């Protein structure tokens, strides 16, 4: 994430995913009915699946390079917490103070405002602030997407625990553990079977799949193109034939995303020279969208959406250059000579 102009496509995939979240949410924020052929919530779901898949893959590679729990968790903390801190501060003292209907001191001293700072604990999300966006369809909502950050943090902790216990030293033990969780999700928490969305089990399954691909990285990349070709018709059968959309997504999306993200396309490197604004776009998309609607409620959907994406992207670059990238330089304090991933027994 800290390399500003790599030739792989992971940063671009994340930017696309963050923009897709804004697109998905904009129907709700503007109270606009999506076209009959578009399942807008599914677009947002696939975007979050993209984040968790790529995260599982990249952070597992980080563990394999340096299998030390303290260093691993310190680097993960530096990656996610400063961005959340800056987002929470701007949500309260910039967006909140400007858009609340309460007097400033009443707003700042309100229990719900004080509770909003609990987002910094990365345990549970607190998306609402008092008096903000009173005339919006989603009144008082400041930052809905924050709910995935505790889930991401949980995945980091579980991966560190698995690594600390030595379960990543053998690829095959890691495979058994990872496939065991995926099987558990598919058979007991899968909305295709239960009819109930259980994101706290589903998104970690994508993280786990990405982690497994990292463990078998060399073998995967040697066969990734053929694997995607084989899985595509199987996923299509599940999705269109058996109406098992969640199972189809989990089957195909992780290998497809990592196959595409790992492609080296030097011609596209210029698109990443400005850094990686994807995390910031994700963190600021909702407050920016709410603000755009509050200021220009009669703006048609497409211009409102484009303006929201543009402003969120600007906020993403500000977050990257002003907060995330400077803090990430501290990761070198935890670096040492890389350790080669363990060979299979």
């Amino acid at each position: 994430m800290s390399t500003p102009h790599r030739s792989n496509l992971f940063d671009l995939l994340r930017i696309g995913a963050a923009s897709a979240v804004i697109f998905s949410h904009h129907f709700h924020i503007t109270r606009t009915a999506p076209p009959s052929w578009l399942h807008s919530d599914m677009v947002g779901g696939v975007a979050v699946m993209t984040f968790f898949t790529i995260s599982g893959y990249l952070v597992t590679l980080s563990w394999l390079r340096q299998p030390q729990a303290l260093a691993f968790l310190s680097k993960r903390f530096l990656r996610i917490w400063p961005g959340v801190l800056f987002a929470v501060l701007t949500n309260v003292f910039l967006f909140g103070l400007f858009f609340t209907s309460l007097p400033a001191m009443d707003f700042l001293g309100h229990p719900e405002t004080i509770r909003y700072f609990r987002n910094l604990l990365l345990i549970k999300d607190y998306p609402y602030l008092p008096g903000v966006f009173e005339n919006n369809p989603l009144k008082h909502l400041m930052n809905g997407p924050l709910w995935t950050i505790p889930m991401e943090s949980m995945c980091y902790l579980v991966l560190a625990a698995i690594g600390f216990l030595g379960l990543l030293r053998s690829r095959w033990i890691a495979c058994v553990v990872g496939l065991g969780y995926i099987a558990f999700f598919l058979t007991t928490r899968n909305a295709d079977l239960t009819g109930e969305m259980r994101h706290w089990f589903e998104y970690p399954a994508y993280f786990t799949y990405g982690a497994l691909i990292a463990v078998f990285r060399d073998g995967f990349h040697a066969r990734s193109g053929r694997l995607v070709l084989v899985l595509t018709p199987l996923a299509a059968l599940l999705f269109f034939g058996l109406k098992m959309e969640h199972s189809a997504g989990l089957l195909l999306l992780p290998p497809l995303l990592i196959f595409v993200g790992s492609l080296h396309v030097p011609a596209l490197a210029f698109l990443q020279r400005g850094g990686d604004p994807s995390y910031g776009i994700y963190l600021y998309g909702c407050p920016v969208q709410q603000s755009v609607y509050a200021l220009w409620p009669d703006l048609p959907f497409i211009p409102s959406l484009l303006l929201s994406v543009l402003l969120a992207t600007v906020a993403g670059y500000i977050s990257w250059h002003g907060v995330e990238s400077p803090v990430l330089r501290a990761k070198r304090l935890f670096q040492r000579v890389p350790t080669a991933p363990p060979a299979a027994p």
Side-chain angles (χ1 to χ4, degrees), residues 210-280:
L212 284 176
I213 293 175
V215 170
F216 291 90
R217 181 186 185 188
D218 293 339
F220 172 81
H221 288 301
R223 304 169 182 85
S224 56
R226 285 170 287 174
L227 179 62
V228 168
L229 285 176
V230 170
L231 293 180
T232 298
L234 295 176
L237 174 63
L238 286 172
F239 191 94
F240 296 105
L242 301 178
K243 305 301 181 184
M244 300 182 69
E245 292 91 350
H246 297 267
S247 302
L250 185 56
L251 176 67
L252 179 61
L253 272 176
L256 176 62
L257 288 167
I258 294 172
F259 168 69
V260 173
S262 300
L263 294 175
H264 293 281
V265 187
L268 296 179
F270 76 95
L271 294 174
Q272 302 177 91
R273 291 184 185 277
D276 176 15
S278 59
Y279 188 39

Side-chain angles (χ1 to χ4, degrees), residues 64-144:
L64 294 175
R65 285 192 296 269
Q66 187 179 3
Q68 296 178 345
L70 181 59
F72 174 82
L73 291 175
S74 298
K75 289 186 286 186
R76 302 285 71 76
F77 177 83
L78 290 174
R79 183 63 189 99
I80 64 172
W81 192 80
V84 173
L85 172 63
F86 192 59
V88 166
L89 292 176
T90 55
N91 289 172
V92 172
F93 295 105
L94 179 62
F95 295 100
L97 281 175
F98 187 85
F99 287 101
T100 187
S101 60
L102 300 176
M105 295 310 297
D106 290 349
F107 169 77
L108 293 175
H110 196 283
E112 198 166 358
T113 302
I114 296 170
R115 187 161 53 245
Y116 195 79
F117 286 95
R118 294 183 186 179
N119 285 303
L120 299 176
L121 299 177
L122 308 181
I123 296 173
K124 185 183 183 300
D125 68 303
Y126 298 86
Y128 298 99
L129 282 173
V132 299
F133 307 121
E134 284 282 3
N135 297 317
N136 285 22
L138 300 180
K139 62 170 57 179
H140 303 166
L141 176 67
M142 177 56 70
N143 207 334

Side-chain angles (χ1 to χ4, degrees), residues 18-19 21-22 51 79-88 90-91 95 116 119 122 142-150 277-289 312-313 315-316 319-320 323-324:
S19 301
V21 170
I22 294 176
F51 279 119
R79 183 63 189 99
I80 64 172
W81 192 80
V84 173
L85 172 63
F86 192 59
V88 166
T90 55
N91 289 172
F95 295 100
Y116 195 79
N119 285 303
L122 308 181
M142 177 56 70
N143 207 334
L146 287 177
W147 73 273
T148 66
I149 305 300
S278 59
Y279 188 39
I281 295 173
Y282 186 77
L283 288 175
Y284 291 96
C286 186
V288 165
Q289 289 174 277
T313 301
S319 177
W320 172 257
V323 179
E324 299 166 54

